[in-house]
Amino acid sequence: MTASDKRLLISAPGKVILFGEHAVVHKKLAVAASLGLRTYLDVTENTSGQCHLKLPDVQVDAAWPLSQLDIAVERESLEQQHPSDMPDTLKQQLETLMGETTSVAQKQAVMAFLYLYIILKNEKGSSSSNFGLVIRARSTLPVGAGLGSSASFSTALATALLMVFGHLPEAFATSEQKDPAWLETINRYAFKAEQVIHGNPSGVDNAVATFGGALSFRRGEGFSQLEGCQSLRLLLTNTKVPRSTSALVAGVGAKKQKYPAVVDPMLDAIDGISLRCVEVFKRLQTGEMDTHKVTAELEELVDINHCLLHGLGVSHPSLETVRSVTETHGVKTKLTGAGGGGCAVSIIRDDISEETLNVVTKELQTHGYDCYQTSLGGVGASASILRDIQDEAWIESADRHTLEKLVARP
């Protein structure tokens, strides 16, 4: 990327766990898929001699002279280390650059940016630019709702910096087909950013954000891309009820230890649901099942999976309220993520009208919940070259529809 009248729009999706929550902790299969809700980065170069990072979602507006970011590092050693094991000297330098941050979210986001910037700018063969850089971010994902907002940001950020410093070719933005090696590179650095933010993430969220579509995963075995996953309509409901993932996971573990003859078969049943989902997508791809049959079967699996999770003690009255409201209108719903509050996901059949969805949404909103109509299984990390936008801060006021159209265009 060189300074010119063009700019980049980078984006990456959030994720939803379709099946396998909690059971995955006990080495059962889980299925996750990308969402239509995304994080967007507007990237421009200029002659300011500064690097400017604007993250309005977490109230970050920071700028550094390029000379302050010219820090020499041993890339190979950093590649092999967890970010928490970086040399003390580098850690002190990055903390100094980070300056005053008033929240954990701000600290994590800025540190992830600085860490990737330093690694990629110093990587052997990188085309370091003498021009200033401005990155503005915007997300349509709710933060902290279990929908992969941090991984979406990490993946978009990694993609942006890889392109800025010449590790990804311009063809990544112009080619319809993405070279798998490009995506593997993005995923590797997105995982590094996720490690900065979360410490020891599973890597699933950034993989979904990078590759898009759906994937299955099992602890200790990595993940597999699911062929045949197609775009499905979803209604996501954020109850905004806070919960402790670690406490919920520990609760299921305690039940398993106390009632192994009861809980083990429940976990096996959840494993079977995930396996059935994989099979359904395969049958869709081969033509053995059509879209109507796939949606109908996914609805049944959603219902069964939620009931099992409820039996494991990880539902919440707010989630049962969402289930009750949507069930009244013929829409199947399950909790997604850790449970205990958080988000619910509803499968929207093609015969569910917009009018019905509006009624459901309004009723859920009367309970104080936030609702998002979106899609399942869309594209992963994406880049577009923009040549016709002059407004410097356009992304801060652009609506979601405009952003989605820009991502879709060649």
Side-chain angles (χ1 to χ4, degrees), residues 32-98:
S34 61
L35 290 171
L37 303 175
R38 306 174 73 86
T39 296
Y40 302 85
L41 297 184
D42 174 50
V43 185
T44 59
E45 290 189 357
N46 55 42
T47 57
S48 68
Q50 287 192 324
C51 179
H52 197 166
L53 180 67
K54 295 174 69 71
L55 310 175
D57 290 336
V58 290
Q59 293 79 53
V60 166
D61 188 343
W64 304 271
L66 294 180
S67 59
Q68 289 186 4
L69 300 178
D70 190 16
I71 300 173
V73 296
E74 290 290 335
R75 184 191 62 82
E76 286 79 7
S77 63
L78 287 179
E79 283 279 359
Q80 296 170 9
Q81 295 173 343
H82 190 283
S84 63
D85 295 327
M86 74 176 83
D88 290 338
T89 302
L90 176 59
K91 187 178 299 184
Q92 290 169 6
Q93 288 174 303
L94 295 185
E95 287 178 349
T96 298
L97 288 170
M98 189 163 53

Side-chain angles (χ1 to χ4, degrees), residues 111-269:
M111 183 61 85
F113 169 76
L114 291 171
Y115 188 81
L116 286 188
Y117 185 101
I118 297 302
I119 289 179
L120 292 172
K121 189 176 189 302
N122 281 273
E123 188 173 277
K124 184 179 179 181
S126 68
S127 57
S128 300
S129 170
N130 292 321
F131 291 100
L133 179 67
V134 181
I135 295 180
R136 292 179 177 86
R138 166 95 179 277
S139 183
T140 57
L141 285 156
V143 176
L147 299 178
S149 60
S150 72
S152 175
F153 169 72
S154 294
T155 302
L157 182 62
T159 305
L161 293 176
L162 284 163
M163 293 197 73
V164 164
F165 293 126
H167 307 299
L168 284 179
E170 187 173 293
F172 182 78
T174 58
S175 302
E176 194 167 317
Q177 294 295 324
K178 308 299 185 189
D179 186 326
W182 299 343
L183 296 175
E184 291 289 352
T185 299
I186 292 170
N187 191 46
R188 184 167 74 253
Y189 286 103
F191 183 61
K192 281 290 184 184
E194 277 286 87
Q195 287 180 316
V196 171
I197 294 171
H198 290 299
N200 291 297
S202 67
V204 170
D205 286 14
N206 52 273
V208 173
T210 299
F211 295 99
L215 57 83
S216 62
F217 56 100
R218 192 187 300 271
R219 282 184 68 180
E221 297 181 10
F223 66 87
S224 299
Q225 201 77 19
L226 296 186
E227 301 298 332
C229 174
Q230 65 162 30
S231 181
L232 295 171
R233 288 198 301 162
L234 297 180
L235 178 67
L236 289 170
T237 303
N238 183 7
T239 68
K240 298 187 283 188
V241 174
R243 76 276 188 222
S244 168
T245 298
S246 59
L248 289 159
V249 169
V252 173
K255 278 188 173 66
K256 183 179 185 296
Q257 186 172 11
K258 187 175 182 179
Y259 306 112
V262 176
V263 173
D264 284 342
M266 295 172 73
L267 297 175
D268 288 338

Side-chain angles (χ1 to χ4, degrees), residues 269-287:
I270 294 174
D271 187 62
I273 290 170
S274 297
L275 289 167
R276 181 66 181 184
C277 176
V278 172
E279 182 64 25
V280 165
F281 285 140
K282 285 181 180 178
R283 291 185 179 185
L284 177 64
Q285 184 184 26
T286 60

